[in-house]
Amino acid sequence: MPAVDKLLLEEALQDSPQTRSLLSVFEEDAGTLTDYTNQLLQAMQRVYGAQNEMCLATQQLSRQLLAYEKQNFALGKGDEEVISTLHYFSNVVDKLNVLHTELAKQLADTMVLPIIQFREKDLTEVSTLKDLFGIASNEHDLSMAKYSRLPKKKENEKAKSEVVKEVAAARRKQHLSSLQYYCALNALQYRKRVAMMEPMIGFAHGQINFFKKGAEMFSQSMDSFLSSVTDMVQSIQVELEAEAEKMRVSQQELLSVDESVYTPDFDVSTPEANRNLIQKAGYLNLRNKTGLVTTTWERLYFFTQGGNLMCQPRGAVAGGLIQDLDNCSVMAVDCEDRRYCFQITTPNGKSGIILQAESKKENEEWICAINNISRQIYLTDNPEAVAIKLNQTALQAVTPITSFGKKQESPCPSQNLKSPETENDKVVPKAAVSIPEADQLIAPGTPIQFDIVLPASEFLDQNRVGRRTNPFGESEDETFPEAEDSLLQQMFIVRFLGSMAVKTDNTTEVIYEAMRQVLAARAIHNIFRMTESHLMVTSQTLRLIDPQTQVTRANFELTSVTQFAAHQENKRLVGFVVRMPESTGGESLSTYVFESNAEGEKICYAINLGKEIIEVQKDPEALAQLMLSIPLTSDGKYVLLNDQPDDNDGTSSGNRGTESEA
C-alpha cells in the first residue's frame, strides 16, 4: 500500500505555525471522515432494516397465502388448484424466511457493528483528544502571558518561581496532549481503510452464504414444481387472451350502435313506446319535500315487482317498497318546470309520489306499465297476452263505430238507484229506445278539450281580482253561498279527461260515445296529463274545485245536467251532459268525461239524489218522506252510502271510505 501521511511527533513541543498548519489538514480530513462514516452507517442500517423488513414481509406473505383458502369469494369456483399451489408456495416462503433471518443476523454482526465501533471508538477518541489539546494550548498561552508580564526592576523571586513552575506545567501538559492527539490522527489514517472494507467483507460473506444455502435447499425440488406452475399460468394466459379478444369484439359491436342510444329523448316527436309492459325498470328522479315549500330531486333506480313499485339506491344490496300499485292511478303532471313528470295516486285519492323520467318514451312506458299493473294483469296466467289484448282494444277504439246494435240496451245502473215514486223520466228512460248512429250523437270532427274549463290561476285573474288567498291552500269561497244551505254536500276526487260538444241528450249512449272518442284521442296523441279536481255535488250545483287553492274551476247548475252515467265496463269512468244557454238565444250541449278514484256509480247516485231533492223540495210532504228514507248527518245533510246495494231499498252497507263528506 502507498505511504501514509504523518504528523511528526518531534515537532509537537515546538508547536510551530507549520506544524499547526499541517495539523489543520489532518483535522479537516478527520471531520470529512466523520461525516462520511455517518452517511455510510445510515446506508448500512438501511440495508439491515430492509433485511429485517424482508423477514417480517415473508412471514406475512406466508400467512396471507394460507388465508386464500379461508376467503369467501363470491366467484370462487375452480380455485382448488390455486389453493394447493399457494400452500406449497407458503412452505417455500417459510423456508426462505429462515434464510433471511440468518442473513439479517450476519449483516448486524459483520457489517453494521464494525462501522458503529469505528465511529464510537476511533472517531470519538480523535474528537475528545482534539478538545483536550485545545484546552492545554489555551492554558499554555495564558501561563506564557502571565510570565511575560513579570516586572524587570523589582523582581519577586517567590512570584517568579511560581510563574515559572506554572509555565513548565502548562507546557508539559500541552506537549503530552499534542503527542496523544498526533498519534490518534496518524493511526486514524490506517484505521479508516480497515473500517471501510471490513463491513463490506461481512456483507459479501453473508450474501454468499444466503445464496448458497438457498440454492442447496431449492434447486432440485423446485424445478419440477415451478415448471408445472409455469405451464398452468401460461394456459390461463392463453384463455385470458382469447377472452380479451372476444370482449374486444363485443365492445366494438356495442360501441357501433346508433347515437340515439346515448342521447336522451332522441326521438321526442314520435317515440315508439311499448304499451304492453307489465314490468319496468330504470332510473327515475324522485321528488322529496325538504320543507314547507322546498323540494329536492334524487336519482334512484326503480323497478316493478308484482304489484309493487320498488326503489334501490345505487350500491344497495336490495330494493325497498315505495308504492303498492294495485288499483292506483297514474297521470302526467307539470311539476316545478320539469319535463316528463308523472304522479302515482293511491286508491283512496291521496297524492302519492311524483317521479320524473329522462325521456318522453320512458315517461309513456312507465305510465303504461303502471296502468297495466294497477289493473292486476300480472295475476293472470298469461299477463303479456292480456296486456296486448287490452291495448289492442284501446287502439281499435280509434275506428268510428257505425252501429250500437251489439251494445246492451239496458240503462245505466246508476240511474236505476232511484225509487219508483221519485224517478225522473227525462233522466232515466222507462223503455228501451233504438240506439242512434255515432254521427247522430256527435258530429264527425268535433274538437275535444283536454284541459279543464279554466285553470285556477286564470279564474282568480278573471273573477276574483283583488281577493286575498291563503298561501296554505285554505280559501274562503263566498261566490257560492248556497253550499251552506244545501241539503246535500258530497265531494269526490276526479281527474278531467276531456269534454266535447254533442248533438243530443236524449240517451246515455252519447256519454259512452264521448268516452270512447276522448280515450281514443288520448291514446292516439299520447296525452297522459290529467287535471285533478274535487267534484262537489250539492242539491243545487256540480262544482269542480282546485284541491290546492280551493278555487272553483267550473260550476254547473244541477238542473242543467240532463244525462249522467258511468261506463258499463270501467266503473271508474263517469260523464254527464250539460245544457247551457248561448248568447245567440239557443242552447248548446257538452259532455264532460272524468276518471274517479271510486266507482262512477257513486257519483251518479249523488247526482241522482241531488236531482231528487230538487224535485221533492216543491212538495214538503215528499221532502219529509225522502229525509226519513235516507240516513242524515248531525247537521241535517244527506249521507251517501259507501257501496250501493243491488236492489233499490236504499239501505246502507257501511260507512263511506273513499270519499270525504264536505
Side-chain angles (χ1 to χ4, degrees), residues 418 422 424 426-427 488 537-540 557-564 604-617 626:
K418 300 187 301 179
T422 61
N424 187 352
K426 183 177 181 181
V427 177
L488 172 66
V537 181
T538 70
S539 57
Q540 287 97 8
E557 294 293 335
L558 201 58
T559 55
S560 65
V561 178
T562 57
Q563 289 287 352
F564 52 91
C604 293
Y605 180 82
I607 297 174
N608 188 38
L609 182 58
K611 295 181 78 64
E612 287 185 2
I613 294 174
I614 293 176
E615 292 295 328
V616 299
Q617 279 180 339
L626 180 63

Side-chain angles (χ1 to χ4, degrees), residues 419-552:
S419 60
E421 293 78 7
T422 61
E423 185 172 332
N424 187 352
D425 294 338
K426 183 177 181 181
V427 177
V428 182
K430 289 288 185 177
V433 297
S434 60
I435 300 176
E437 300 292 336
D439 55 358
Q440 296 176 352
L441 300 173
I442 301 175
T446 301
I448 300 175
Q449 181 176 344
F450 295 108
D451 291 328
I452 200 64
V453 178
L454 278 180
S457 59
E458 295 182 14
F459 192 88
L460 281 173
D461 295 339
Q462 296 180 16
N463 299 312
R464 302 195 178 187
V465 178
R467 179 179 178 185
R468 181 179 177 273
T469 302
N470 191 313
F472 295 96
E474 300 175 359
S475 176
E476 299 180 359
D477 197 342
E478 300 175 355
T479 309
F480 302 96
E482 77 280 356
E484 296 296 331
D485 300 330
S486 176
L487 293 176
L488 172 66
Q489 290 186 36
Q490 193 69 24
M491 183 178 290
F492 303 90
I493 297 177
V494 296
R495 284 167 293 279
F496 182 69
L497 296 176
S499 64
M500 60 190 307
V502 297
K503 299 172 67 175
T504 180
D505 60 351
N506 295 328
T507 174
T508 56
E509 297 297 332
V510 69
I511 299 178
Y512 302 146
E513 176 62 18
M515 289 179 179
R516 187 194 68 79
Q517 292 194 21
V518 167
L519 294 178
R522 281 182 169 269
I524 293 173
H525 300 292
N526 296 324
I527 299 175
F528 298 101
R529 180 175 176 271
M530 294 183 289
T531 303
E532 184 172 292
S533 303
H534 289 170
L535 177 62
M536 172 72 77
V537 181
T538 70
S539 57
Q540 287 97 8
T541 61
L542 294 180
R543 292 167 52 195
L544 288 176
I545 303 173
D546 186 278
Q548 296 181 351
T549 63
Q550 299 300 311
V551 174
T552 301

Side-chain angles (χ1 to χ4, degrees), residues 408-417 427-429 508-509 511-512 563-568 571 573-575 600-601 604-605:
Q408 297 179 359
E409 298 181 357
S410 60
C412 174
S414 60
Q415 297 183 1
N416 288 332
L417 295 174
V427 177
V428 182
T508 56
E509 297 297 332
I511 299 178
Y512 302 146
Q563 289 287 352
F564 52 91
H567 196 276
Q568 294 174 332
K571 300 301 183 180
L573 297 179
V574 65
E601 295 283 347
C604 293
Y605 180 82

Side-chain angles (χ1 to χ4, degrees), residues 298 311 361 431 569:
E298 184 179 6
C311 173
K361 176 183 177 183
E569 296 179 358

